[in-house]
Amino acid sequence: MKKNVTIAFFSPTGNTKKSLEAMAEAAGILKETIDLTVCPDPKPHRFGPDDLVIFGAPVYGGRIPAVARERFLAFTGDHTPCIAVVTYGNRDFDDALLELADLAKGQGFTVNGAAALVGRHTYGEIQTSRPDENDLAQDRDFAAKAASRTGDLPEVQIPGNRPYKDGGHGGKFRPLTSEACVKCGLCVKNCPVQAIDKDCRTISDACLSCFRCIRNCPAHAKNMDTEDYRAFASAFTERLKNRRENQYFCNGSAVRQDI
């Protein structure tokens, strides 16, 4: 019998959301979508053994965002199977996937599988078309296999280190606002950490540098049009130009990308 699936994610620019939605298609019957991106105080959710929850977050400096970690603590399970997913911009996922899996286990979930997925990087022009259709097909195949794991199975082995490396705090860049701004307030409303003042220009140090406001500004007023950023982005793009593949983990051990 197919499980009732809930996807819960922190996804400022949409990579994680897109991948989790693909996984849910194959894993069972989608019961609920919980977007934690602009939800500072999520209501508590409790899940049972017959549910399946797919958790997802991006990688910020080798960790899941600290704000996402806090929001995931609203979820508890009762030996509830789950899939842990992190998305990263073609550099590395370091300790983030292990951290998310550990968090889930600490909240009463059983990790049936885990995945580290490549998506468009926030900065520069890195893997701009990903996740692509091949990535999403792999996600579906993996999710179907992970969802079908039952019984007393070996624990999924996930790479990473404890204690985790320092990270999860976001970047140093603060988006600028051009004269094209029409003060629609969309950036203020949709900032994951409420870092943008109601004037649509003033940005506090709470900013994650997720560039959600840049990607979503209808007037294209939000930008990082500075010489320093352009130089950084160009060098970063060159450094990370070689494609990396997704990695999936289940069946008690690390799994090759072509599960």
Side-chain angles (χ1 to χ4, degrees):
M1 185 176 72
K2 285 193 172 184
K3 290 184 176 294
N4 290 322
V5 179
T6 294
I7 57 175
F9 52 83
F10 181 85
S11 184
T13 57
N15 288 339
T16 305
K17 176 183 177 182
K18 189 173 184 179
S19 296
L20 263 62
E21 287 175 340
M23 288 187 173
E25 290 177 15
I29 302 169
L30 181 58
K31 177 183 177 183
E32 188 173 8
T33 295
I34 304 174
D35 187 346
L36 298 172
T37 312
V38 289
C39 184
D41 188 24
K43 68 178 182 179
H45 285 72
R46 184 167 181 83
F47 301 91
D50 295 328
D51 294 308
L52 173 69
V53 181
I54 309 177
F55 294 108
V59 177
Y60 284 5
R63 299 277 300 277
I64 62 172
V67 64
R69 181 183 180 90
E70 292 172 5
R71 295 173 191 182
F72 283 135
L73 292 175
F75 302 94
T76 54
D78 178 11
H79 301 91
T80 306
C82 78
I83 300 172
V85 179
V86 297
T87 58
Y88 69 105
N90 208 51
R91 185 194 66 81
D92 203 334
F93 56 95
D94 298 298
D95 301 334
L97 187 58
L98 180 64
E99 178 187 13
L100 182 55
D102 285 349
L103 187 155
K105 287 186 283 188
Q107 293 296 108
F109 294 88
T110 299
V111 180
N112 274 25
L117 311 177
V118 178
R120 178 182 179 181
H121 202 291
T122 300
Y123 310 140
E125 298 295 318
I126 302 163
Q127 301 298 307
T128 56
S129 64
R130 299 181 73 187
D132 57 28
E133 286 306 314
N134 184 59
D135 292 322
L136 297 176
Q138 291 180 25
D139 294 345
R140 294 184 189 99
D141 188 38
F142 163 73
K145 290 179 170 63
S148 68
R149 294 184 87 219
T150 58
D152 187 15
L153 296 171
E155 183 175 355
V156 175
Q157 299 300 304
I158 300 170
N161 297 292
R162 303 184 187 95
Y164 316 125
K165 67 178 293 184
D166 183 49
H169 312 302
K172 63 181 181 180
F173 300 109
R174 298 293 178 263
L176 306 175
T177 306
S178 76
E179 293 304 316
C181 177
V182 296
K183 294 183 170 56
C184 68
L186 190 66
C187 60
V188 179
K189 178 182 178 181
N190 289 333
C191 177
V193 288
Q194 299 81 50
I196 305 176
D197 192 80
K198 62 182 179 181
D199 65 3
C200 298
R201 291 179 176 273
T202 307
I203 298 179
S204 76
D205 285 340
C207 176
L208 296 173
S209 304
C210 69
F211 287 11
R212 179 181 176 93
C213 59
I214 294 178
R215 299 276 179 87
N216 295 339
C217 179
H220 306 290
K222 283 286 187 289
N223 67 88
M224 274 307 306
D225 190 17
T226 69
E227 185 175 342
D228 286 347
Y229 176 75
R230 288 194 296 270
F232 163 80
S234 177
F236 204 47
T237 298
E238 176 64 21
R239 175 184 162 195
L240 300 182
K241 66 181 180 181
N242 295 325
R243 177 185 175 104
R244 294 190 64 170
E245 298 300 335
N246 304 316
Q247 295 183 57
Y248 303 94
F249 307 89
C250 65
N251 300 327
S253 61
V255 182
R256 60 209 175 280
Q257 65 198 35
D258 57 338
I259 62 156

